[in-house]
């Protein structure tokens, strides 16, 4: 196996690669202990591995639909939904580092709080949709041995921790939120990777594009407006890309003019504009992507090296991150990031982090 120091660190656009060295257990053993889940190293499900993924009714619904698919997996709707969430988390973390240890004014603090509430509702609603609709739909045709509910529950604990840090405690500097936000991102990314690695191959094996598209259309019609706006905003291709996406999942092309364009605009005004305001140092409202180009200056920060380079289930990552933040040890995992924040008093940040984790 490749030595850790010789491996390039994972960045925001990273996907799974060859298994990282682990001194305590082999990747195969780690996957066995975690029920097949290994964070960013979770291997794609093999639909024809009937010993692991047992068909509910092999005669009625055989695992042979993958040949009917033309849409690349990069454009799978679940991956696109996840991309929107990843983009929000990544931009906000980069913004916190950029704001650094400077004292925030009242409007800036409120801006951070308002943005967080929008993102929090987006993530909570997305995982509720998966638990209520999408995952049971996939399991209706194939037995999936891994259970994502535990991962969702662990991430929910992290979301509540972030919520306490932002909404229920007093903060005056962005640096006070860095540790808890990096812990949240470190917990979120492996979960999204696990879901994509397991569910996307299975949906393509057991459902035709038409069947799956109808279910996705049903999900999109019940998606909250702000979450839908986030999805449309982060799609590639602008207006044409958004219209093509909607038509693919059963919407009339007029949907763009009747509600979809308004949803994307509302997202830009209520979410992206807040990030832009914090960057320029004054409240602004932006409706067009060209007016939000300043957000491109936010560069993704490296994911936590020690945890992301270990084949560990996302639920275990979340539990470990939470326990380390409670003791202050989490700083040891992210102190490299403070080099980007001039003048940060790390001892003060750690003490503030401990106080935030006290329920």
């Amino acid at each position: 196996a490749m030595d850790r120091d010789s491996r390039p660190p994972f960045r925001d656009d990273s996907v799974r690669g060859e298994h990282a060295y682990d001194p305590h257990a082999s990747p195969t053993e780690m996957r066995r202990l975690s029920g097949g889940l290994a964070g960013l190293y979770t291997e794609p499900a093999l639909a024809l591995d009937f010993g692991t993924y047992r068909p509910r009714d092999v005669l009625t619904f055989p695992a042979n639909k993958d040949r009917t698919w033309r849409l690349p997996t990069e454009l799978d709707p679940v991956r696109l939904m996840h991309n929107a969430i990843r983009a929000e988390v990544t931009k906000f973390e980069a913004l916190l580092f950029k704001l650094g240890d400077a004292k925030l004014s009242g409007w800036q603090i409120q801006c951070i709080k308002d943005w967080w509430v929008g993102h929090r509702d987006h993530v909570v609603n997305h995982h509720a949709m998966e638990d209520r609709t999408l995952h049971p739909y996939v399991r209706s045709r194939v037995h999936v041995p891994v259970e994502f509910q535990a991962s969702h529950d662990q991430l929910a604990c992290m979301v509540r921790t972030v919520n306490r840090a932002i909404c229920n405690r007093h903060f005056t500097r962005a640096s006070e939120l860095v540790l808890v936000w990096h812990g949240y991102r470190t917990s979120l990314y492996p979960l999204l990777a696990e879901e994509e690695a397991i569910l996307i191959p299975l949906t393509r094996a057991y459902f035709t594009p038409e069947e799956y598209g109808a279910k996705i259309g049903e999900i999109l019609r019940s998606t909250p407006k702000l979450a839908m706006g986030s999805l449309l905003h982060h799609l590639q291709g602008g207006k044409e890309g958004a219209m093509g996406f909607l038509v693919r999942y059963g919407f009339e092309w007029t949907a763009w003019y009747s509600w979809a364009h308004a949803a994307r605009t509302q997202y830009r005004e209520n979410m992206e504009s807040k990030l832009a305001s914090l960057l320029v140092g004054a409240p602004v409202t932006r409706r067009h992507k060209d007016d939000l180009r300043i957000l491109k200056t936010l560069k993704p920060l490296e994911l936590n090296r020690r945890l992301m380079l270990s084949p560990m289930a996302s639920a275990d990552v979340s539990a470990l991150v939470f326990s380390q933040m409670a003791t202050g040890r989490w700083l040891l995992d992210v102190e490299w990031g403070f080099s980007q924040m001039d003048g940060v008093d790390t001892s003060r940040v750690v003490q503030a982090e401990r106080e935030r984790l006290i329920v």
Side-chain angles (χ1 to χ4, degrees), residues 139-197:
R139 294 176 193 274
S140 69
R141 295 191 182 180
V142 57
H143 171 72
V144 183
V146 297
E147 181 54 67
F148 294 108
Q149 185 64 55
S151 299
H152 285 179
D153 291 343
Q154 283 288 352
L155 186 69
C157 292
M158 289 298 305
V159 170
R160 289 193 292 270
T161 300
V162 178
N163 194 66
R164 287 196 298 270
I166 295 179
C167 295
N168 299 349
R169 299 286 199 275
H170 178 68
F171 65 92
T172 59
R173 294 171 172 82
S175 60
E176 296 173 35
L177 304 176
V178 164
L179 294 183
V180 69
W181 193 265
H182 190 68
Y184 167 56
R185 181 176 172 226
T186 301
S187 301
L188 175 68
Y189 270 46
L191 169 58
L192 301 182
E194 287 172 348
E195 291 177 341
E196 292 166 7

Side-chain angles (χ1 to χ4, degrees), residues 16-318:
R16 294 167 297 279
E18 82 174 272
H19 294 295
Y21 168 74
D22 187 274
H24 304 296
S26 68
T28 300
E29 179 67 8
M30 290 293 291
R31 288 197 300 276
R32 184 187 69 79
L33 295 174
S34 63
L37 299 181
L40 295 177
Y41 291 96
T42 302
E43 295 184 352
L46 296 176
L48 296 181
D49 177 9
F50 293 155
T52 303
Y53 304 102
R54 188 172 65 254
R56 300 290 184 187
D57 187 342
V58 69
L59 296 179
T60 306
F61 302 113
N64 62 354
K65 310 297 190 303
D66 51 346
R67 68 190 68 175
T68 67
W69 284 82
R70 296 292 181 268
L71 188 73
T73 57
E74 290 76 14
L75 296 180
D76 184 273
V78 171
R79 178 162 286 163
L80 294 177
M81 294 177 193
H82 286 177
N83 285 347
I85 293 173
R86 277 187 284 249
E88 290 183 358
V89 172
T90 302
K91 283 184 284 189
F92 190 70
E93 182 179 45
L95 175 65
L96 292 179
F97 271 87
K98 199 143 193 171
L99 294 176
D101 213 27
K103 190 168 184 178
L104 301 172
S105 61
W107 74 266
Q108 289 175 310
I109 293 173
Q110 190 59 49
C111 210
I112 289 174
K113 290 183 176 182
D114 291 344
W115 185 92
W116 158 249
V117 169
H119 171 76
R120 178 198 65 195
D121 293 348
H122 181 184
V123 171
V124 169
N125 286 322
H126 175 78
H127 287 148
M129 174 276 293
E130 290 181 329
D131 292 335
R132 180 181 62 251
T133 306
L134 185 61
H135 294 176
Y137 180 67
V138 177
R139 294 176 193 274
S140 69
R141 295 191 182 180
V142 57
H143 171 72
V144 183
V146 297
E147 181 54 67
F148 294 108
Q149 185 64 55
S151 299
H152 285 179
D153 291 343
Q154 283 288 352
L155 186 69
C157 292
M158 289 298 305
V159 170
R160 289 193 292 270
T161 300
V162 178
N163 194 66
R164 287 196 298 270
I166 295 179
C167 295
N168 299 349
R169 299 286 199 275
H170 178 68
F171 65 92
T172 59
R173 294 171 172 82
S175 60
E176 296 173 35
L177 304 176
V178 164
L179 294 183
V180 69
W181 193 265
H182 190 68
Y184 167 56
R185 181 176 172 226
T186 301
S187 301
L188 175 68
Y189 270 46
L191 169 58
L192 301 182
E194 287 172 348
E195 291 177 341
E196 292 166 7
I198 300 298
L199 296 176
I200 291 178
L202 294 180
T203 56
R204 289 171 171 250
Y206 283 93
F207 299 90
T208 65
E210 293 74 22
E211 291 172 327
Y212 188 54
K215 176 56 68 172
I216 293 297
E218 173 188 323
I219 289 171
L220 293 175
R221 285 176 173 81
S222 62
T223 298
K225 189 174 183 179
L226 199 65
M228 192 67 186
S230 177
L231 173 60
L232 295 174
H233 170 76
H234 290 103
L235 288 176
Q236 298 295 317
K239 172 184 173 181
E240 292 74 18
M243 291 180 72
F245 175 83
L246 293 171
V247 169
R248 187 180 303 135
Y249 298 109
F251 293 90
E252 297 291 335
W253 66 271
T254 54
W256 172 256
Y257 299 99
S258 61
W259 62 268
H261 180 261
R264 191 183 71 173
T265 299
Q266 179 182 351
Y267 175 79
R268 289 175 176 174
E269 291 176 343
N270 294 338
M271 294 291 285
E272 293 289 280
S273 290
K274 287 181 171 56
L275 302 184
S277 298
L278 291 166
L279 275 177
V280 301
V284 297
T285 301
R286 298 288 184 259
R287 300 167 59 93
H288 304 290
K289 205 162 192 174
D290 283 348
D291 298 329
L292 293 165
R293 282 178 295 181
I294 190 173
L295 298 183
K296 293 187 179 297
T297 64
L298 297 174
K299 302 302 181 184
L301 298 170
E302 295 175 0
L303 286 168
N304 181 279
R305 296 186 183 190
R306 184 176 62 83
L307 293 178
M308 293 301 97
L309 294 180
S310 296
M312 185 186 304
S314 62
D316 297 331
V317 172
S318 295

